[in-house]
Amino acid sequence: MKAAQISLVVFVTILLYAFWRILLRQSDEPSPAASIAQQGRMASRPEHAADIRQLLGQMSDSLRVRLQAAGMALEMMLPADPLPVLLDRSGMQEVFAHIVDLACRAMQAGSTLRVLGRVEGTHAVVNFMDAAPGAGEPRLARCFDAAGTATAAGRGDGDTAASVALCTQIVSEHRGRIYAAPSPLGSLGITLRLPLQDAIGSVY
């Protein structure tokens, strides 16, 4: 093989290797929504014991005002017994605020955002459900689920996908989960599941 041919083979090999490295690096990059979600915040550290009912109650007035401005109502259905969890208050408040913002975008005017809290095994569970007027289809959970699927596939680059990515990240930092699922009332909703304080045992 001539020297020129050998040089060409070496050049093509180097070029293909460089192209492969670029593709590999791009596949490891976070989705746009995840990048947006990471900006301007520190990781939530669930260091404070709190009754999540009280946190919801303290925020109910501000959340109600935001929903009313969009033509919607807020209905809290919280148990008489405490829901003790370890949490970062500002991080969990951010989750609630993003859910309400999502509700304002997804739900139709005249709907009611219902918040149901309860204990289920070793977890405190909060369901967020939209009750649409008439026979309207619930939109909140479907919007959340669609945005989460798009983000996981690396296609989520809008405000909704960024909000869902951030909520998922914060809840994961609390050793919890947030996902779309049927509620105890039968309708599809967003389920927030956090371990009870006794189930964690100690602050990590």
Side-chain angles (χ1 to χ4, degrees), residues 48-60 63 76-79 81-89 91-93 95-96 99 115-119 123-128 171 174 176-177 191-197:
H48 305 288
D51 182 354
I52 201 168
R53 298 175 314 158
Q54 295 178 351
L55 189 62
L56 284 165
Q58 292 166 1
M59 295 185 65
S60 64
L63 299 182
M76 292 276 191
M77 297 174 285
L78 302 177
D81 295 329
L83 298 174
V85 295
L86 289 176
L87 53 76
D88 171 74
R89 287 180 177 273
M92 199 53 56
Q93 286 171 343
V95 170
F96 296 155
I99 291 175
V115 181
L116 171 64
R118 69 189 192 282
V119 170
H123 288 80
V125 180
V126 182
N127 297 104
F128 300 87
V171 173
H174 285 72
R177 295 176 59 208
T191 297
L192 169 63
R193 185 180 294 272
L194 297 172
L196 292 168
Q197 182 180 354

Side-chain angles (χ1 to χ4, degrees), residues 107-119:
M107 291 163 48
Q108 65 186 93
S111 297
T112 298
L113 176 62
R114 290 177 174 165
V115 181
L116 171 64
R118 69 189 192 282
V119 170

Side-chain angles (χ1 to χ4, degrees), residues 99 102-103 107 112-116 118 125-131 137-146 177-193:
I99 291 175
L102 181 60
M107 291 163 48
T112 298
L113 176 62
R114 290 177 174 165
V115 181
L116 171 64
R118 69 189 192 282
V125 180
V126 182
N127 297 104
F128 300 87
M129 306 153 287
D130 57 312
E137 284 286 328
R139 300 181 180 183
L140 178 59
R142 296 187 189 282
C143 182
F144 184 94
D145 196 35
R177 295 176 59 208
I178 184 167
Y179 53 96
S183 74
L185 302 182
S187 58
L188 190 65
I190 298 174
T191 297
L192 169 63
R193 185 180 294 272

Side-chain angles (χ1 to χ4, degrees), residues 65-76:
V65 168
R66 293 166 72 178
L67 286 166
Q68 287 177 345
M72 303 168 196
L74 176 66
E75 181 181 342
M76 292 276 191

Side-chain angles (χ1 to χ4, degrees), residues 147-189:
T149 300
T151 300
R155 300 192 303 271
D157 57 357
D159 291 341
T160 299
S163 293
V164 171
L166 183 55
C167 288
T168 302
Q169 178 186 344
I170 293 174
V171 173
S172 177
E173 289 165 0
H174 285 72
R175 295 185 177 182
R177 295 176 59 208
I178 184 167
Y179 53 96
S183 74
L185 302 182
S187 58
L188 190 65

